[in-house]
Amino acid sequence: MLPEAGPLARALLALELIQARPGITADQLAANLGVSDRAVRRCVGTLREAGVPIESRSGPYGGYRAGRGLRLPPLTFTAAEALSLVMAALDGHHDAADPAGLVGRALGKITRALPEQVAVRAEAVRQATAAAPDRMAARPDPDAVTALVQACSQTRRTRLAYRSEAGRQRDIDVDPWAVVVRHARWYLLCWSHTSDARRAYRIDRIQSVELLDTAFDPPPADLDPVAALEEHLAAGWKYTTELIVQAPIEAVAAHCPRVLGTLEPLDPDSCRLTGTTGNPYWYVQQLTAIPVPYRIVGGPELRHVAHELGQRLIAATA
């Protein structure tokens, strides 16, 4: 908050800080508002004159608190807080108990607007529940997500400053098609003019987003962004894979994620699964979820890993 902001704006921000941090001191308010202690006292006086009950206590455990009977104003969120709440609902944030984070701040506002009996229960759950962190989660910058969603909706070509997994920086010009959340990771599905191919980029690796003046034709209306992303994630890896599955393709598809490759029928009672992988150990682990007989016929690396893991499992039962 800038000191030259109007007195009403400072008073309203002071009220929000007092509600968010009961017991906040005058020094802390002054630091957050960027004003003097005297200006803080004027803010509190303005609130009291407007009928807002603000209590103050002296001593080491003193500070300002909102008194009983305060009628809360309508909830207002910053753009970052609102987008973070949406992202939290999509990918499952585990930092809601942190009052300093965007999600924690937004949830705090909601809690304060609830009836007291409901708020007490909600806050107890929020503080006492320990959510196991998702080590695979990679949450991007909300501003980058906003810019990419805007580019998708406006069909505007976009320049990305992108950092690869190996740490190499480069600029990429793309036609952004869709933002997809999969297993707590955010991807941009797009057509890359730099690669002249369909690509999916991790949004947490995008350093900056620049919307260009060039428009592009939207993707086909029947495009399934999730399916297209999973097909992309299954292609282009170092090791090839091929399996013959002894079951109808309809029975196999329900147990075979698209990231493992493409299924095609051989006859009414069998099908073929072909794909690629960068991690044969991971791939073989996924195959154990297929509950019908199959045979690995392609990919020497895959066959080696399957044999090695099979021997280890047999040895574990001896």
Side-chain angles (χ1 to χ4, degrees), residues 30 52 100 115 186 202 204 235 283 296 301 316:
V52 179
W186 293 67
R202 288 261 300 271
D204 60 291
Y283 196 96
I296 300 174
E301 298 83 6

Side-chain angles (χ1 to χ4, degrees), residues 3-316:
E4 59 267 23
L8 179 58
R10 284 200 298 269
L12 290 175
L13 184 53
L15 174 60
E16 182 175 332
L17 290 169
I18 292 170
Q19 290 176 312
R21 298 168 57 187
I24 189 171
T25 66
D27 290 342
Q28 291 168 334
L29 274 174
N32 279 275
L33 295 172
V35 298
S36 65
D37 290 353
R38 184 177 180 181
V40 166
R41 290 193 293 273
R42 286 200 298 268
C43 289
V44 173
T46 300
L47 292 172
R48 288 170 172 164
E49 289 175 4
V52 179
I54 301 296
E55 299 175 353
S56 60
R57 299 178 184 176
S58 58
Y61 301 104
Y64 291 106
R65 288 175 172 78
R68 292 188 175 276
L70 173 62
R71 183 178 179 182
L72 293 174
L75 284 178
T76 57
F77 297 106
T78 66
E81 288 171 346
L83 183 56
S84 293
L85 277 179
V86 173
M87 293 171 67
L90 290 172
D91 74 358
H93 276 274
H94 298 297
D95 57 356
D98 179 8
L102 290 174
V103 175
R105 289 209 310 263
L107 287 178
K109 292 181 179 181
I110 292 175
T111 302
R112 290 192 296 273
L114 294 172
E116 184 175 1
Q117 291 183 340
V118 179
V120 168
R121 295 180 182 181
E123 187 64 19
V125 171
R126 178 187 175 197
Q127 296 297 335
T129 302
D134 184 351
R135 293 179 177 84
M136 299 298 291
R139 299 184 181 103
D141 178 5
D143 290 338
V145 175
T146 301
L148 292 172
V149 170
Q150 178 184 354
C152 291
S153 63
Q154 296 180 359
T155 60
R156 289 178 60 181
R157 189 164 298 170
T158 304
R159 180 162 296 151
L160 311 177
Y162 192 75
R163 174 182 54 80
S164 69
E165 184 176 7
R168 187 167 72 93
Q169 302 274 355
R170 57 177 176 148
D171 288 341
I172 305 171
D173 286 1
V174 303
D175 293 346
W177 290 351
V179 171
V180 183
V181 185
R182 182 181 182 276
H183 298 325
R185 285 186 175 177
W186 293 67
Y187 297 88
L188 174 68
L189 181 68
C190 62
W191 180 267
S192 170
H193 291 276
T194 305
S195 301
D196 194 27
R198 186 180 70 183
R199 289 290 185 265
Y201 295 110
R202 288 261 300 271
I203 299 180
D204 60 291
R205 294 178 182 161
I206 295 176
Q207 309 298 299
S208 65
V209 178
E210 178 186 357
L211 273 63
L212 306 177
D213 292 333
T214 306
F216 65 88
D217 293 330
D222 60 352
L223 174 71
D224 182 340
V226 175
L229 171 67
E230 291 185 334
E231 290 170 3
H232 175 80
L233 294 177
W237 298 100
K238 181 177 181 180
Y239 305 108
T240 59
T241 64
E242 183 179 355
L243 286 79
I244 303 298
V245 187
Q246 302 300 326
I249 189 171
E250 296 81 8
V252 178
H255 304 282
C256 187
R258 282 184 288 257
V259 292
L260 295 183
T262 302
L263 281 170
E264 57 179 337
L266 294 177
D267 55 52
D269 298 318
S270 65
C271 57
R272 177 187 285 113
L273 173 64
T274 56
T276 64
T277 183
N279 187 338
Y281 284 91
W282 172 86
Y283 196 96
V284 170
Q285 290 170 354
Q286 306 309 304
L287 294 180
T288 61
I290 300 177
V292 294
Y294 55 84
R295 183 164 48 92
I296 300 174
V297 298
E301 298 83 6
L302 199 67
R303 293 169 61 87
H304 171 76
V305 169
H307 178 78
E308 178 182 322
L309 290 181
Q311 291 298 315
R312 287 169 56 188
L313 289 172
I314 292 173

